Amino acid sequence: MARDKRRTGRLTYARMASQGAFLILFLYLFVETQSKGEDTLGPPVRLFLDFDPLILLTTLLSSHAAPVAFYMSVALVLVTLVLGRVFCGWACPLGTLNNITASLRKRTSSHDWHRLKYLILVFLLASSFFTLQLAGLMDPMSLLIRSLALSIYPALNQAASSASLVLYEHGPAPSFTDAAYVWLKGLVLPFNEPHYSQALLLGSLFLLVIGLNLHERRLWCRHLCPLGALLGLLSRHSLLRRSVSEGCTGCGACTTLCQGAAAPDRKELWKSEECYYCMNCDDACPEGAVSFGFSGSRRQAALDLGRRRVIGAALAGAAAVPLMRVSGAAATVDPLLVRPPGALGEMDFLSRCVRCGECMKVCITGGLQPAFLEAGPEGLWTPVLVPRMGYCEYNCTLCGQVCPTGAIKRLSRNEKAKVHIGTAMIDKGRCLPWAHGRPCIVCEEMCPTPKKAIWFQEADVKLRNGRKVRLKQPVVDLELCIGCGICEAKCPVVDRPAIYVTCSGESRSDNNRILL
Amino acid sequence: MAINRRDFVRITAAAGAGLALGRKLPLAFAAERSPIVVARGTDPAGITRAAVDALGGMGRFVKKGEVVVVKPNIGWDRTPELAANTNPQVVAEVVRMCLEAGARKVKVLDRTCNDPRRCYVQSGIADALKPLDVELKHIDERRFRDVRIGGKAIDKWPLYSEALDADRLINVPIAKHHGLARLTMSMKNWMGVMGGRRSAIHQKLDQSLADLMLVIRPDLIVLDAVRILTDNGPQGGSLKDVKKLDTVIAGTDQVGVDSYGATLFGLKGRDLGYVVAAEDMGLGSSDISPERVREIKL
């Protein structure tokens, strides 16, 4: 018995080591989702999304296609069929964060809400079947990357830089503080200080998910996670089984430690689809009666979701499709809805984008921002370029490289140069040479197209003092302007720039065009 | 050192005296009619070295143990053949000569217009400097310092402290077309150490560039004209606008160097408003008579 116990203890440590390794890998890839000045990123930063079968399944349903890399998630399906929901217990970085947070409290409540996540899954599958892709809102990989990228990481960065500034100015060793900050910046902090318009909302939702663990251990994983639900269904008949020997006294020690609320005290009738194979029960059993192996009993508890509930969730998912679209956001284009270069046509784009936030994280100028309602309720947290926060760098193609679903196509530099994401227009009432008799050529100087899309018309202007000046007044060439927005970003009229970009003329649309 | 100094005085008269005695002398005195060297040849590093050697060698400008800031134009996310940034081989050769002269530390920097990471990498400058013991760092926005300029157009401006605090400043610009200034060469290159809303100076560009010379006094200028950009500047993007001249121009007077540079584009020095403004303030001489200019062919 004692020998058995040592063996199982080792398994728990192995599980924790695996969780730690995957979390570190995840965070490493997250931090590496940043330009180093080369045309391509080195590491496979979207690896965790590529292995996500929920994204694969819903993308296949909603857009009838998925990028090749996504089929890597078939590997996770196979692993789950053999080993059960080990992903949740051994690999998922959000699960690990939940696990760590839950460990802060010895005892938490337990609710019988586990069916909810299956109903959420049914809802998402039904809506994606009718082309509405909402899976990313609750998919754990998307949720985690989006929350970290758009809120938690920028907040940590701000905390680090403010703290170092205060220490630098008032602390005892300013040069040490400065060196430490520079070192930290080179190691993990972002190159540019990131700002995202919905950081507070996204961060609060994330902290809520994490905080729920203090109410009930791994509440998100147990009751809400749609990927967990999908993997749970796949693990119903997994080969790795749990068995309880005659030695079980029914003391219930396993129940309090079970991460998934899988009813381990019920021996063969445990809920295999709720088990993360965390090995806690194996470790905790004072009798050493619990073991995992490939030869255990095939018996298990029935998973009764309730037929009416399932049908109800499916109908709700279907009903969400017209409800989300009836407001007419698709019919009237928001002029500020400038999508990243390579974005598919709006309908196709929305049916693929999973709001993981990778494109916004990697955007070299920080211009890609999460939409709120600019693209209708369906477009929540999809990327939109806000040139005043950052323009689209002419030679940069990173957003298309990190997009996991092909909502933003991967473009070469040459292909990208031909894509118009919008058009710049001049506000002649605010432009210095047009309205105020002062020279300024910043928009033209910054314009990156090889033949500049901004040219000058010359005008002789009489100033108030009677002096005549010859001014170069900028004019936009509609054929050449690609809408990158560097003119808007760099315009010296800062608050409301005298030149600004709208999505008018975007290549991806057949209707939102200006030219014949 | 004494013999070198005598040589130098013989070549450069007042300018040589000014440089040898140190940087405290009034700029106008140091820069007046100092020699301009034009070196031509197909090896960018070779003509760079030849041009500096003809001025008396880097040892004239950089002393043992000094901190040197080398300021190329790395403003744009463009590759070297597009002539938007200073030729990487020219930059590397200037750095190499500084190190040979015994500089304690050589820093290369620019406040770029496009994303700094892309500019440093795509310009080829990061790669060219890799084998050298040089500090190529991005601008740290916390390191700008308000400087009183007291010029006609700008009174005060945040400038990069590392450039202000260096023992020696070497300006390594490229000669390019520019929509407002007509051409951008050495004087305009110092916009790369300006912080804040520097784009606002375009409203009084020529005078602002001249004003900047009141506080930023490079010890040496090496103007890269290996390739020049003749249109759609200052960032170009098409080989059609690039002309290969295989030329480097070196001197200690920015007004003179820019004045010579103008001739590469078929203009005269005084066609450029900032050359006129600076010369009128007594900050240099646009004269490029044969007595002043020495041409070398490699």
Side-chain angles (χ1 to χ4, degrees), chain B residues 24-45:
Chain B
K24 298 281 182 266
L25 241 69
L27 183 76
F29 180 48
E32 190 77 27
R33 298 263 300 135
S34 57
I36 296 167
V37 177
V38 181
R40 294 194 175 87
T42 49
D43 171 24

PDB file of all heavy atoms in Angstrom, chain B residues 24-45:
ATOM      1  N   LYS B  24      34.682  74.227 -26.821  1.00  0.00           N
ATOM      2  CA  LYS B  24      34.135  75.400 -26.142  1.00  0.00           C
ATOM      3  C   LYS B  24      34.133  76.645 -27.027  1.00  0.00           C
ATOM      4  O   LYS B  24      33.436  77.605 -26.765  1.00  0.00           O
ATOM      5  CB  LYS B  24      34.918  75.685 -24.860  1.00  0.00           C
ATOM      6  CG  LYS B  24      34.830  74.543 -23.854  1.00  0.00           C
ATOM      7  CD  LYS B  24      33.491  74.565 -23.098  1.00  0.00           C
ATOM      8  CE  LYS B  24      33.423  73.453 -22.073  1.00  0.00           C
ATOM      9  NZ  LYS B  24      32.753  72.263 -22.654  1.00  0.00           N
ATOM     10  N   LEU B  25      34.949  76.602 -28.083  1.00  0.00           N
ATOM     11  CA  LEU B  25      35.054  77.775 -28.952  1.00  0.00           C
ATOM     12  C   LEU B  25      33.742  78.050 -29.678  1.00  0.00           C
ATOM     13  O   LEU B  25      33.001  77.132 -29.978  1.00  0.00           O
ATOM     14  CB  LEU B  25      36.152  77.533 -29.985  1.00  0.00           C
ATOM     15  CG  LEU B  25      37.325  78.515 -29.939  1.00  0.00           C
ATOM     16  CD1 LEU B  25      38.127  78.290 -28.663  1.00  0.00           C
ATOM     17  CD2 LEU B  25      38.198  78.342 -31.161  1.00  0.00           C
ATOM     18  N   PRO B  26      33.458  79.306 -29.989  1.00  0.00           N
ATOM     19  CA  PRO B  26      32.223  79.597 -30.734  1.00  0.00           C
ATOM     20  C   PRO B  26      32.194  78.815 -32.040  1.00  0.00           C
ATOM     21  O   PRO B  26      33.194  78.698 -32.727  1.00  0.00           O
ATOM     22  CB  PRO B  26      32.317  81.100 -31.014  1.00  0.00           C
ATOM     23  CG  PRO B  26      33.305  81.618 -30.037  1.00  0.00           C
ATOM     24  CD  PRO B  26      34.225  80.504 -29.681  1.00  0.00           C
ATOM     25  N   LEU B  27      31.008  78.312 -32.333  1.00  0.00           N
ATOM     26  CA  LEU B  27      30.856  77.432 -33.476  1.00  0.00           C
ATOM     27  C   LEU B  27      31.232  78.124 -34.788  1.00  0.00           C
ATOM     28  O   LEU B  27      31.917  77.555 -35.626  1.00  0.00           O
ATOM     29  CB  LEU B  27      29.404  76.944 -33.543  1.00  0.00           C
ATOM     30  CG  LEU B  27      29.110  75.962 -34.660  1.00  0.00           C
ATOM     31  CD1 LEU B  27      29.639  74.582 -34.313  1.00  0.00           C
ATOM     32  CD2 LEU B  27      27.620  75.907 -34.926  1.00  0.00           C
ATOM     33  N   ALA B  28      30.775  79.332 -34.932  1.00  0.00           N
ATOM     34  CA  ALA B  28      31.000  80.046 -36.194  1.00  0.00           C
ATOM     35  C   ALA B  28      32.489  80.116 -36.496  1.00  0.00           C
ATOM     36  O   ALA B  28      32.925  79.918 -37.625  1.00  0.00           O
ATOM     37  CB  ALA B  28      30.402  81.444 -36.113  1.00  0.00           C
ATOM     38  N   PHE B  29      33.258  80.348 -35.460  1.00  0.00           N
ATOM     39  CA  PHE B  29      34.690  80.437 -35.615  1.00  0.00           C
ATOM     40  C   PHE B  29      35.258  79.094 -36.090  1.00  0.00           C
ATOM     41  O   PHE B  29      36.076  79.021 -36.997  1.00  0.00           O
ATOM     42  CB  PHE B  29      35.296  80.860 -34.276  1.00  0.00           C
ATOM     43  CG  PHE B  29      36.793  80.978 -34.303  1.00  0.00           C
ATOM     44  CD1 PHE B  29      37.414  81.682 -35.334  1.00  0.00           C
ATOM     45  CD2 PHE B  29      37.568  80.406 -33.308  1.00  0.00           C
ATOM     46  CE1 PHE B  29      38.789  81.794 -35.358  1.00  0.00           C
ATOM     47  CE2 PHE B  29      38.941  80.517 -33.340  1.00  0.00           C
ATOM     48  CZ  PHE B  29      39.562  81.209 -34.363  1.00  0.00           C
ATOM     49  N   ALA B  30      34.754  78.018 -35.488  1.00  0.00           N
ATOM     50  CA  ALA B  30      35.282  76.701 -35.819  1.00  0.00           C
ATOM     51  C   ALA B  30      34.890  76.257 -37.218  1.00  0.00           C
ATOM     52  O   ALA B  30      35.638  75.578 -37.895  1.00  0.00           O
ATOM     53  CB  ALA B  30      34.774  75.682 -34.792  1.00  0.00           C
ATOM     54  N   ALA B  31      33.698  76.635 -37.649  1.00  0.00           N
ATOM     55  CA  ALA B  31      33.157  76.065 -38.868  1.00  0.00           C
ATOM     56  C   ALA B  31      33.477  76.872 -40.119  1.00  0.00           C
ATOM     57  O   ALA B  31      33.349  76.383 -41.225  1.00  0.00           O
ATOM     58  CB  ALA B  31      31.636  75.933 -38.727  1.00  0.00           C
ATOM     59  N   GLU B  32      33.858  78.118 -39.949  1.00  0.00           N
ATOM     60  CA  GLU B  32      34.055  79.004 -41.088  1.00  0.00           C
ATOM     61  C   GLU B  32      35.021  78.428 -42.118  1.00  0.00           C
ATOM     62  O   GLU B  32      36.193  78.186 -41.817  1.00  0.00           O
ATOM     63  CB  GLU B  32      34.579  80.354 -40.565  1.00  0.00           C
ATOM     64  CG  GLU B  32      34.613  81.456 -41.597  1.00  0.00           C
ATOM     65  CD  GLU B  32      33.240  82.048 -41.862  1.00  0.00           C
ATOM     66  OE1 GLU B  32      32.403  82.001 -40.947  1.00  0.00           O
ATOM     67  OE2 GLU B  32      33.021  82.549 -42.971  1.00  0.00           O
ATOM     68  N   ARG B  33      34.501  78.166 -43.305  1.00  0.00           N
ATOM     69  CA  ARG B  33      35.340  77.792 -44.435  1.00  0.00           C
ATOM     70  C   ARG B  33      36.233  76.579 -44.171  1.00  0.00           C
ATOM     71  O   ARG B  33      37.324  76.461 -44.717  1.00  0.00           O
ATOM     72  CB  ARG B  33      36.225  78.983 -44.846  1.00  0.00           C
ATOM     73  CG  ARG B  33      35.443  80.185 -45.303  1.00  0.00           C
ATOM     74  CD  ARG B  33      35.313  80.280 -46.809  1.00  0.00           C
ATOM     75  NE  ARG B  33      36.617  80.361 -47.457  1.00  0.00           N
ATOM     76  CZ  ARG B  33      36.936  79.648 -48.524  1.00  0.00           C
ATOM     77  NH1 ARG B  33      36.064  78.813 -49.034  1.00  0.00           N
ATOM     78  NH2 ARG B  33      38.111  79.766 -49.080  1.00  0.00           N
ATOM     79  N   SER B  34      35.804  75.702 -43.298  1.00  0.00           N
ATOM     80  CA  SER B  34      36.563  74.481 -43.072  1.00  0.00           C
ATOM     81  C   SER B  34      36.488  73.620 -44.334  1.00  0.00           C
ATOM     82  O   SER B  34      35.557  73.752 -45.113  1.00  0.00           O
ATOM     83  CB  SER B  34      35.984  73.729 -41.877  1.00  0.00           C
ATOM     84  OG  SER B  34      34.623  73.465 -42.132  1.00  0.00           O
ATOM     85  N   PRO B  35      37.469  72.758 -44.550  1.00  0.00           N
ATOM     86  CA  PRO B  35      37.506  72.015 -45.808  1.00  0.00           C
ATOM     87  C   PRO B  35      36.372  71.005 -45.943  1.00  0.00           C
ATOM     88  O   PRO B  35      35.826  70.522 -44.959  1.00  0.00           O
ATOM     89  CB  PRO B  35      38.857  71.306 -45.770  1.00  0.00           C
ATOM     90  CG  PRO B  35      39.218  71.239 -44.341  1.00  0.00           C
ATOM     91  CD  PRO B  35      38.612  72.442 -43.692  1.00  0.00           C
ATOM     92  N   ILE B  36      36.039  70.731 -47.202  1.00  0.00           N
ATOM     93  CA  ILE B  36      35.039  69.714 -47.532  1.00  0.00           C
ATOM     94  C   ILE B  36      35.727  68.699 -48.427  1.00  0.00           C
ATOM     95  O   ILE B  36      36.397  69.067 -49.391  1.00  0.00           O
ATOM     96  CB  ILE B  36      33.842  70.347 -48.271  1.00  0.00           C
ATOM     97  CG1 ILE B  36      33.109  71.337 -47.356  1.00  0.00           C
ATOM     98  CG2 ILE B  36      32.884  69.275 -48.781  1.00  0.00           C
ATOM     99  CD1 ILE B  36      32.124  72.225 -48.085  1.00  0.00           C
ATOM    100  N   VAL B  37      35.565  67.428 -48.057  1.00  0.00           N
ATOM    101  CA  VAL B  37      36.181  66.380 -48.866  1.00  0.00           C
ATOM    102  C   VAL B  37      35.096  65.575 -49.555  1.00  0.00           C
ATOM    103  O   VAL B  37      34.114  65.185 -48.930  1.00  0.00           O
ATOM    104  CB  VAL B  37      37.046  65.437 -47.987  1.00  0.00           C
ATOM    105  CG1 VAL B  37      37.604  64.310 -48.839  1.00  0.00           C
ATOM    106  CG2 VAL B  37      38.158  66.222 -47.308  1.00  0.00           C
ATOM    107  N   VAL B  38      35.260  65.365 -50.842  1.00  0.00           N
ATOM    108  CA  VAL B  38      34.321  64.554 -51.603  1.00  0.00           C
ATOM    109  C   VAL B  38      35.065  63.332 -52.104  1.00  0.00           C
ATOM    110  O   VAL B  38      36.021  63.454 -52.865  1.00  0.00           O
ATOM    111  CB  VAL B  38      33.754  65.344 -52.801  1.00  0.00           C
ATOM    112  CG1 VAL B  38      32.755  64.491 -53.577  1.00  0.00           C
ATOM    113  CG2 VAL B  38      33.110  66.640 -52.324  1.00  0.00           C
ATOM    114  N   ALA B  39      34.643  62.150 -51.624  1.00  0.00           N
ATOM    115  CA  ALA B  39      35.332  60.925 -52.037  1.00  0.00           C
ATOM    116  C   ALA B  39      34.398  60.096 -52.901  1.00  0.00           C
ATOM    117  O   ALA B  39      33.225  59.909 -52.563  1.00  0.00           O
ATOM    118  CB  ALA B  39      35.773  60.131 -50.812  1.00  0.00           C
ATOM    119  N   ARG B  40      34.926  59.620 -54.030  1.00  0.00           N
ATOM    120  CA  ARG B  40      34.105  58.807 -54.935  1.00  0.00           C
ATOM    121  C   ARG B  40      34.753  57.454 -55.152  1.00  0.00           C
ATOM    122  O   ARG B  40      35.981  57.352 -55.244  1.00  0.00           O
ATOM    123  CB  ARG B  40      33.921  59.518 -56.274  1.00  0.00           C
ATOM    124  CG  ARG B  40      33.115  60.788 -56.172  1.00  0.00           C
ATOM    125  CD  ARG B  40      32.665  61.296 -57.540  1.00  0.00           C
ATOM    126  NE  ARG B  40      31.800  62.452 -57.372  1.00  0.00           N
ATOM    127  CZ  ARG B  40      32.235  63.712 -57.263  1.00  0.00           C
ATOM    128  NH1 ARG B  40      33.522  63.975 -57.318  1.00  0.00           N
ATOM    129  NH2 ARG B  40      31.375  64.698 -57.104  1.00  0.00           N
ATOM    130  N   GLY B  41      33.928  56.423 -55.232  1.00  0.00           N
ATOM    131  CA  GLY B  41      34.437  55.072 -55.452  1.00  0.00           C
ATOM    132  C   GLY B  41      33.343  54.071 -55.133  1.00  0.00           C
ATOM    133  O   GLY B  41      32.335  54.413 -54.517  1.00  0.00           O
ATOM    134  N   THR B  42      33.551  52.829 -55.572  1.00  0.00           N
ATOM    135  CA  THR B  42      32.459  51.870 -55.478  1.00  0.00           C
ATOM    136  C   THR B  42      32.375  51.173 -54.121  1.00  0.00           C
ATOM    137  O   THR B  42      31.399  50.487 -53.848  1.00  0.00           O
ATOM    138  CB  THR B  42      32.593  50.787 -56.573  1.00  0.00           C
ATOM    139  OG1 THR B  42      33.934  50.304 -56.538  1.00  0.00           O
ATOM    140  CG2 THR B  42      32.273  51.352 -57.936  1.00  0.00           C
ATOM    141  N   ASP B  43      33.394  51.352 -53.278  1.00  0.00           N
ATOM    142  CA  ASP B  43      33.346  50.711 -51.971  1.00  0.00           C
ATOM    143  C   ASP B  43      32.930  51.733 -50.911  1.00  0.00           C
ATOM    144  O   ASP B  43      33.713  52.603 -50.544  1.00  0.00           O
ATOM    145  CB  ASP B  43      34.735  50.122 -51.648  1.00  0.00           C
ATOM    146  CG  ASP B  43      34.819  49.633 -50.217  1.00  0.00           C
ATOM    147  OD1 ASP B  43      33.749  49.323 -49.641  1.00  0.00           O
ATOM    148  OD2 ASP B  43      35.940  49.571 -49.681  1.00  0.00           O
ATOM    149  N   PRO B  44      31.687  51.641 -50.404  1.00  0.00           N
ATOM    150  CA  PRO B  44      31.195  52.658 -49.468  1.00  0.00           C
ATOM    151  C   PRO B  44      32.083  52.827 -48.241  1.00  0.00           C
ATOM    152  O   PRO B  44      32.349  53.956 -47.799  1.00  0.00           O
ATOM    153  CB  PRO B  44      29.808  52.133 -49.071  1.00  0.00           C
ATOM    154  CG  PRO B  44      29.383  51.245 -50.192  1.00  0.00           C
ATOM    155  CD  PRO B  44      30.645  50.638 -50.719  1.00  0.00           C
ATOM    156  N   ALA B  45      32.566  51.704 -47.694  1.00  0.00           N
ATOM    157  CA  ALA B  45      33.417  51.799 -46.510  1.00  0.00           C
ATOM    158  C   ALA B  45      34.741  52.489 -46.873  1.00  0.00           C
ATOM    159  O   ALA B  45      35.231  53.343 -46.137  1.00  0.00           O
ATOM    160  CB  ALA B  45      33.655  50.408 -45.934  1.00  0.00           C
TER     161      ALA B  45
END
